[in-house]
Amino acid sequence: YLNSTVLEKEFIFPGATRLEIEFDEACATEPDADYLRFFKDSSKRTGHYGAAKYTGARGSTCWRHKLTINTDRVFCVFTSDRDVVDWGLRFTVTATLHRALAPAVDNAGLRRATLGAAAVAALDAILSKHTTL
């Protein structure tokens, strides 16, 4: 990732009852200076999910825990300061669909596992415009 960066991305999975966010084991950012936050919405004023900041060296506690939230959407913001950079981050968002909606999604030719892959692809597409995180 680049210095002095702010990247924002909202993941929305209509009909989902839960999102699970799992980090790649290689995640590493400059501790406390470069960080990821998960907000309830784009206003960033209605509260956040999980830790106040996801930041730190490879193997840090925050990267080892899966974040599970009971919602169909999450707004992510990655911020870096102006000097040190590290490997970056990568995470997968997997949505659990409400049982009543699952057959309709399956009939459309989509599979639940695709939602997680689509989320990663969407994030990669947004971030690749700037750099590889």
Side-chain angles (χ1 to χ4, degrees):
Y1 58 90
L2 300 175
N3 286 319
S4 303
T5 298
V6 176
L7 301 172
E8 299 181 345
K9 172 68 182 160
E10 186 170 34
F11 293 97
I12 302 173
F13 299 93
T17 57
R18 180 176 65 197
L19 302 179
E20 291 183 353
I21 299 167
E22 188 167 13
F23 295 97
D24 187 296
E25 64 184 28
C27 287
T29 63
E30 181 186 7
D32 298 318
D34 302 343
Y35 54 89
L36 178 67
R37 298 183 74 189
F38 296 99
F39 292 97
K40 293 181 178 184
D41 62 40
S42 60
S43 75
K44 299 176 260 185
R45 295 183 190 149
T46 58
H48 68 274
Y49 295 114
K53 293 181 180 180
Y54 288 82
T55 183
R58 183 179 301 206
S60 293
T61 303
C62 69
W63 306 127
R64 293 187 303 220
H65 296 285
K66 186 184 296 186
L67 173 62
T68 301
I69 51 180
N70 295 320
T71 185
D72 68 344
R73 67 191 65 217
V74 63
F75 189 78
C76 310
V77 180
F78 176 75
T79 305
S80 68
D81 70 355
R82 58 189 171 115
D83 55 8
V84 178
V85 297
D86 207 322
W87 184 85
L89 57 92
R90 181 182 178 110
F91 60 89
T92 303
V93 177
T94 304
T96 300
L97 295 177
H98 188 280
R99 283 180 178 233
L101 296 176
V105 172
D106 287 343
N107 289 338
L110 301 174
R111 299 287 179 240
R112 292 178 200 180
T114 305
L115 294 173
V120 171
L123 179 65
D124 285 347
I126 295 296
L127 298 180
S128 67
K129 294 178 185 176
H130 304 279
T131 189
T132 301
L133 293 181

